[in-house]
């Protein structure tokens, strides 16, 4: 996972819808902060679980002015991942795996208990992670996975998003707090895990 914006300039992504290639720095072209989920494998139950947790707070994250983006290292399984677990948010392919980093069974058990299913298709040894970056690309929060299922703690992610929100939104969120009941169990793929 890139630690600086300078390293993002070395990463080429592919738009899975159009096939167009572009430098990862274009993710910041809109001048908005991003939450970048680096997906280890779209069919992985653990990756789906993390995406589901983020989607449970999609409204809050987007209210902070942050765009949600996922990067995958292979196209295999992205259609199902996007439709069921990433709810048609952008997913880009990092074919060179430049954004990816090289308890597993307890994490799988937790994800399955929460109602997520997965498969064992595709490459599964590269780890993923998550980062939140400012509009200029400077990274304000980063959590590279140290093992399979080592997800970024959702409260840390939400705090990082809140800290980039406009002052009025930040104040409102601080007053309201984060509704952790959005992390419903069990979640089926047919359920809409966001409040939109």
């Amino acid at each position: 996972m890139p630690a600086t914006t300078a390293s993002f300039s070395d990463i080429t992504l592919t738009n899975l819808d159009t096939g167009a290639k572009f430098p990862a720095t274009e993710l910041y072209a809109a001048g908005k902060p991003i939450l970048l989920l680096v997906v280890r494998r779209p069919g992985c139950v653990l990756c789906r679980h993390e995406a589901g947790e983020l989607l449970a707070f999609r409204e809050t994250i987007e209210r902070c002015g942050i765009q949600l983006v996922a990067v995958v290292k292979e196209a295999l399984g992205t259609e199902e991942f996007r439709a069921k677990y990433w709810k048609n948010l952008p997913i880009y392919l990092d074919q060179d795996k430049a954004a990816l980093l090289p308890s597993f069974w307890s994490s799988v058990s937790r994800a399955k208990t929460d109602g997520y299913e997965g498969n064992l298709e595709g490459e599964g040894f590269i780890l993923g992670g998550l980062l939140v970056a400012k509009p200029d690309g400077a990274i304000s929060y980063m959590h590279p996975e140290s093992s399979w299922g080592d997800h970024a703690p959702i409260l840390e992610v939400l705090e990082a998003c809140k800290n980039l929100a406009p002052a009025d939104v930040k104040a409102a969120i601080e007053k309201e707090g984060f509704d952790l009941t959005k992390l419903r169990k069990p979640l089926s793929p047919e359920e809409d895990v966001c409040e939109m």
Side-chain angles (χ1 to χ4, degrees), residues 57-89:
F57 292 97
R58 178 179 180 172
E59 182 180 321
T60 300
I61 293 167
E62 290 179 341
R63 184 173 161 206
C64 291
I66 296 173
Q67 60 180 332
L68 289 140
V69 176
V71 171
V72 297
K73 60 179 173 43
E74 59 189 1
L76 180 66
T78 55
E79 295 86 7
E80 180 183 13
F81 181 84
R82 180 185 291 176
K84 293 182 178 179
Y85 305 99
W86 202 235
K87 300 295 180 189
N88 298 312
L89 289 164

Side-chain angles (χ1 to χ4, degrees), residues 29-180:
K32 291 176 66 172
I34 65 167
L35 185 154
L36 178 67
L37 176 63
V38 182
V39 178
R40 189 177 69 78
R41 195 173 56 77
C44 171
V45 63
L46 302 172
C47 298
R48 291 173 175 191
H49 185 236
E50 184 171 27
E53 285 186 346
L54 292 170
L55 276 179
F57 292 97
R58 178 179 180 172
E59 182 180 321
T60 300
I61 293 167
E62 290 179 341
R63 184 173 161 206
C64 291
I66 296 173
Q67 60 180 332
L68 289 140
V69 176
V71 171
V72 297
K73 60 179 173 43
E74 59 189 1
L76 180 66
T78 55
E79 295 86 7
E80 180 183 13
F81 181 84
R82 180 185 291 176
K84 293 182 178 179
Y85 305 99
W86 202 235
K87 300 295 180 189
N88 298 312
L89 289 164
I91 299 178
Y92 302 106
L93 176 64
D94 173 19
Q95 202 160 14
D96 297 328
K97 301 170 183 63
L100 299 168
L101 302 171
S103 121
F104 176 65
W105 293 113
S106 63
S107 297
V108 168
S109 176
R110 182 182 71 239
K112 287 187 173 191
T113 298
D114 286 353
Y116 289 87
E117 296 178 13
N119 61 54
L120 298 176
E121 297 172 10
E123 198 287 320
F125 292 102
I126 295 176
L127 298 175
L130 181 143
L131 65 83
V132 177
K134 298 176 184 177
D136 64 0
I139 296 171
S140 63
Y141 176 83
M142 184 167 73
H143 180 87
E145 289 181 347
S146 60
S147 63
W148 293 335
D150 174 29
H151 298 161
I154 192 68
L155 286 175
E156 287 182 14
V157 173
L158 294 172
E159 283 294 326
C161 293
K162 180 185 77 175
N163 289 335
L164 295 180
D168 60 329
V169 173
K170 183 177 179 178
I173 291 172
E174 286 175 351
K175 182 178 179 182
E176 298 162 7
F178 298 116
D179 180 9
L180 296 182

